[in-house]
């Protein structure tokens, strides 16, 4: 039976720093907002224990987030949806959690990012909500997302060359804290401008012939740093300039009415390695890798959850691209058994190989 709006305690899965805009959306419900506890190894152990064995790892992390949130008192859960198995996650997770004996309601937002599509779902849990207010929340959440993506992008490209260790991480953490306090678009613009200036003033030393590496692959393992063992920070520690294009701003820009045009564009860039869209982020992975190769990048990391079909499809195209152009691509698959030490060793070897190749090519 549905509860009155204020009796809800709403929660949702973690997705990197996007907790900030998600909280802005959840505040439409006028109820207590309970983000799940910080991700730990226990989150994954809980999720993996109750998930089907071969389901992809985002499902397991999400389920672990839900269990930890329900244990601390949440009674309303949100799940999004996507163009692959992700579209069915919500129903399956709801059934698993009910079997475990939890009492809660679940709202499934499968079907894109449109305000219209979601409005009725929020309104069904908070009858006092009106469209004007919903649009205000969506606009603010999207502006927060833009600010996050821009600031994070700058930090990602420069953190590897900071003079004072931890300077970018420290500024970025403070930025996220202040962004979480913003209540209007003007607030977000002020915070973004202040931190853009602060990040630009952090002293960096960029060596001659530095390595430029792109990261492509499945969106969850790209955007949730806990799930990829903070791989961007690890690359920065190895003195690499890191580029990543999969983020929520780009997904919104390339979704909705723009989706078909964007797909045609990226299939064109991925040609001759792909001729058709292969689902989820797979086409984007191939197109971005081909573009970065043409732009003279030193290499690409392809990240995917174990068993992710769209990215498995992308791999054969990426292997051919890599072979034909002698362009380095490191494939990394994540599951609950993935070892952090093994990953560090592979990153060391990949970066060494890129440096040797660069010296040999005289670049
Ligand atoms: S893109 Fe891959 S890993 Fe992500 S939800 Fe879909 S199948 Fe799973």
């Amino acid at each position: 039976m549905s509860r009155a709006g204020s009796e809800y305690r709403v929660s949702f899965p973690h997705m990197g720093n996007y907790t900030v805009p998600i909280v802005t959306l959840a505040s439409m419900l006028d109820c207590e907002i309970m983000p799940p506890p910080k991700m730990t190894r226990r989150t994954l152990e809980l999720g993996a224990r109750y998930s089907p064995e071969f389901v992809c790892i985002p499902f397991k992390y999400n389920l672990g987030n839900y269990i930890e949130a329900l244990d601390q008192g949440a009674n309303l859960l949100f799940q999004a949806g996507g163009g692959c198995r992700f579209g069915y996650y919500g129903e399956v997770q709801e059934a698993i959690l009910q079997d475990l004996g939890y009492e809660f309601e679940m709202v499934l937002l499968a079907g894109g990012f449109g305000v219209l599509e979601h409005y009725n779902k929020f309104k069904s849990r908070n009858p006092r909500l009106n469209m004007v207010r919903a649009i205000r929340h969506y606009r603010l959440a999207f502006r927060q997302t833009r600010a996050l993506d821009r600031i994070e992008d700058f930090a990602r490209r420069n953190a590897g060359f900071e003079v004072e260790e931890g300077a970018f991480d420290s500024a970025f953490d403070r930025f996220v804290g202040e962004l979480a306090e913003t209540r209007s678009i003007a607030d977000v613009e002020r915070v973004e401008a202040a931190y853009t200036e602060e990040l630009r003033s952090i002293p960096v030393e960029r060596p001659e012939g530095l390595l430029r590496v792109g990261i492509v692959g499945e969106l969850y393992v790209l955007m949730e740093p806990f799930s990829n063992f903070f791989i961007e920070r690890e690359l920065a520690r190895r003195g690499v300039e890191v580029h990543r294009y999969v983020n929520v701003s780009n997904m919104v820009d390339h979704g909705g009415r723009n989706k078909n045009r964007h797909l045609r564009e990226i299939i064109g860039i991925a040609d001759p390695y792909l001729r058709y869209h292969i689902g989820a982020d797979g086409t984007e992975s191939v197109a971005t890798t081909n573009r970065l190769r043409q732009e003279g990048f030193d290499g690409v990391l392809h990240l995917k959850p174990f068993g992710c079909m769209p990215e498995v499809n992308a791999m054969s195209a990426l292997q051919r691209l890599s072979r034909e152009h002698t362009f380095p691509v490191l494939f990394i698959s994540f599951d609950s058994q993935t070892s952090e030490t093994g990953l560090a060793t592979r990153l060391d070897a990949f970066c060494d190989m890129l440096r040797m190749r660069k010296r040999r090519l005289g670049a």
Side-chain angles (χ1 to χ4, degrees):
M1 190 177 65
S2 291
R3 299 164 171 87
S6 58
E7 291 172 18
Y8 285 122
R9 292 179 297 278
V10 63
S11 195
F12 43 81
H14 277 299
M15 175 66 110
N17 290 305
Y18 295 118
T19 298
V20 173
I22 296 173
V23 165
T24 296
L25 294 179
S27 61
M28 278 192 265
L29 294 166
D30 294 327
C31 67
E32 190 179 345
I33 300 172
M34 303 181 83
K38 209 166 178 289
M39 301 262 262
T40 62
R41 198 71 202 160
R42 180 175 178 272
T43 312
L44 180 57
E45 281 165 12
L46 278 172
R49 189 179 310 157
Y50 299 110
S51 296
E53 186 181 354
F54 290 110
V55 76
C56 45
I57 200 163
F59 184 105
K60 296 174 185 173
Y61 274 114
N62 285 185
L63 190 66
N65 287 153
Y66 286 141
I67 292 173
E68 292 186 316
L70 290 165
D71 284 343
Q72 69 174 17
N75 58 19
L76 178 64
L77 304 178
F78 271 74
Q79 178 58 285
C84 58
R85 286 182 277 181
F86 189 30
Y88 307 106
Y89 272 15
E91 281 96 341
V92 182
Q93 288 162 335
E94 185 176 16
I96 292 171
L97 294 168
Q98 281 167 348
D99 285 349
L100 290 173
Y102 289 108
E103 286 186 20
F104 62 99
E105 292 173 34
M106 192 136 187
V107 178
L108 306 174
L109 293 178
F113 296 93
V115 175
L116 277 171
E117 297 154 40
H118 297 171
Y119 171 67
N120 286 338
K121 294 184 179 174
F122 280 99
K123 185 148 175 90
S124 69
R125 299 311 198 278
N126 181 12
R128 289 186 302 164
L129 181 66
N130 60 54
M131 187 52 120
V132 173
R133 192 172 155 220
I135 289 172
R136 227 178 20 240
H137 281 257
Y138 263 88
R139 289 187 61 212
L140 177 58
F142 185 60
R143 188 62 188 81
Q144 290 170 327
T145 301
R146 275 262 191 251
L148 264 174
D149 288 337
R150 285 191 194 132
I151 295 280
E152 202 172 11
D153 197 47
F154 185 84
R156 184 181 299 127
R157 292 176 192 211
N158 290 284
F161 315 105
E162 63 193 6
V163 174
E164 186 192 335
E165 196 180 331
F168 275 94
D169 276 355
S170 153
F172 186 75
D173 288 349
R174 280 184 285 109
F175 161 70
V176 174
E178 286 192 35
L179 192 69
E181 301 301 317
T182 55
R183 296 291 174 267
S184 69
I185 289 181
D187 284 350
V188 180
E189 284 171 351
R190 179 182 46 74
V191 170
E192 185 184 354
Y195 278 90
T196 301
E197 201 177 321
E198 178 170 340
L199 262 67
R200 286 200 173 132
S201 69
I202 293 176
V204 290
E205 282 176 3
R206 301 171 73 83
E208 281 289 304
L210 56 83
L211 293 182
R212 281 195 309 155
V213 166
I215 302 191
V216 303
E218 191 268 347
L219 71 92
Y220 184 87
V221 291
L222 288 185
M223 299 199 295
E224 175 44 67
F226 188 87
S227 76
N228 63 37
F229 301 112
F230 299 89
I231 201 164
E232 292 176 359
R233 194 191 295 161
E234 288 303 311
L235 285 166
R237 282 199 183 122
R238 288 163 176 79
V240 175
E241 182 183 296
V242 183
H243 294 244
R244 159 161 69 82
Y245 305 91
V246 172
N247 59 36
V248 174
S249 300
N250 285 338
M251 286 163 61
V252 174
D253 289 346
H254 299 151
R257 280 197 303 264
N258 298 328
K259 188 174 176 184
N260 289 339
R261 196 190 56 205
H262 177 66
L263 280 179
R264 278 196 302 277
E265 274 171 19
I266 59 173
I267 289 170
I269 298 170
D271 187 60
Y273 304 102
L274 284 183
R275 296 251 156 76
Y276 305 97
H277 178 43
I278 54 175
D281 313 299
T283 313
E284 199 89 49
S285 296
V286 179
T288 304
T289 304
N290 204 21
R291 177 171 63 77
L292 297 183
R293 173 189 71 75
Q294 289 162 357
E295 290 176 5
F297 271 62
D298 295 291
V300 158
L301 264 66
H302 176 256
L303 314 186
K304 74 165 189 15
F306 176 77
C308 167
M309 284 319 293
E311 296 302 330
V312 168
N313 290 337
M315 280 177 73
S316 53
L318 289 171
Q319 280 161 349
R320 188 181 143 211
L321 183 161
S322 171
R323 201 172 49 244
E324 287 184 0
H325 295 277
T326 328
F327 182 68
V329 179
L330 178 65
F331 296 97
I332 303 175
S333 198
F334 293 90
D335 194 9
S336 41
Q337 311 302 326
T338 305
S339 141
E340 193 166 359
T341 317
L343 177 66
T345 308
R346 293 187 70 199
L347 288 183
D348 283 337
F350 188 64
C351 292
D352 285 350
M353 184 271 287
L354 293 186
R355 286 202 171 88
M356 284 190 278
R357 178 175 180 270
K358 203 166 177 103
R359 276 199 296 273
R360 205 181 60 241
L361 295 174

